[in-house]
Amino acid sequence: MKKVLMVCLGNICRSPLAEGILQSKVDANTVSVDSAGTAAYHVGNKPDERSIAVAKKYGLNIKNQRARKFVVKDFDEFDIIYAMDENNYQNILMLARNEEDEQKVKMILNESNPNKNLSVPDPYYGGNQGFENVYKMLDEACNFITKKI
Ligand code: 4NP
């Protein structure tokens, strides 16, 4: 079983979408996907209504997910840890205990745009178009992940 963790700041907008999208593309018997946030503001909450809505539009149900904070033990639990943006990436790396931990952490958009270190923009303070944009970027990245995983 390959275990993948999607990480953003609040674990209510971007990483719940990334979790839902990747899980929908892979065989659940061989790949498991979870998500977490580097901040604790929204722990225990459902995904943002706008993420739930854009997921539903594309046939995915993410409303049963609940936000949790990233913890050091996640380095032991997961094989690959995808950061949604540069800040998340740095915050996860700060918690790494050794090189093995560090090597698990990747910028998710480097899967679709190699070596560019692009960030998935935080859609929290914007409108629905931002969520649509995030969905499309994550869908493309997850297609690449699915091919190589
Ligand atoms: P996310 O978006 O990191 O994609 O879940 C955010 C959610 C909440 C906040 C910021 C970003 N916040 O400041 O509460």
Side-chain angles (χ1 to χ4, degrees):
M1 178 70 93
K2 196 97 171 183
K3 298 187 76 179
V4 179
L5 184 65
M6 304 296 195
V7 182
C8 62
L9 177 64
N11 192 207
I12 56 167
C13 297
R14 291 165 291 177
S15 59
L17 279 173
E19 176 186 336
I21 292 167
L22 184 60
Q23 193 71 74
S24 76
K25 294 179 188 290
V26 295
D27 176 356
N29 294 313
T30 55
V31 182
S32 80
V33 191
D34 191 11
S35 63
T38 58
Y41 326 121
H42 297 283
V43 167
N45 292 355
K46 285 193 299 188
D48 187 283
E49 289 300 333
R50 296 163 294 176
S51 283
I52 291 175
V54 75
K56 190 173 175 197
K57 175 178 167 188
Y58 291 103
L60 302 179
N61 174 8
I62 64 165
K63 69 176 190 291
N64 296 325
Q65 294 183 30
R66 293 295 178 270
R68 73 170 179 87
K69 192 168 188 287
F70 179 84
V71 291
V72 172
K73 195 166 162 281
D74 288 321
F75 288 114
D76 301 323
E77 288 289 318
F78 294 90
D79 302 297
I80 312 175
I81 298 169
Y82 281 119
M84 300 296 120
D85 71 26
E86 183 64 32
N87 286 329
N88 314 143
Y89 181 77
Q90 295 299 342
N91 286 326
I92 300 163
L93 276 189
M94 271 195 281
L95 297 173
R97 300 157 298 185
N98 52 46
E99 203 174 316
E100 191 187 346
D101 287 356
E102 286 171 10
Q103 282 174 355
K104 292 183 175 184
V105 190
K106 298 171 193 304
M107 292 281 281
I108 192 166
L109 293 186
N110 278 348
E111 299 295 350
S112 43
N113 302 268
N115 306 316
K116 294 226 170 85
N117 295 327
L118 298 178
S119 289
V120 180
D122 181 348
Y124 189 64
Y125 293 104
N128 290 334
Q129 189 57 42
F131 284 78
E132 182 81 29
N133 184 39
V134 164
Y135 188 96
K136 297 229 163 87
M137 291 172 134
L138 290 175
D139 189 55
E140 186 187 23
C142 288
N143 283 337
F144 282 93
I145 295 169
T146 305
K147 266 186 253 163
K148 72 176 212 185
I149 210 164

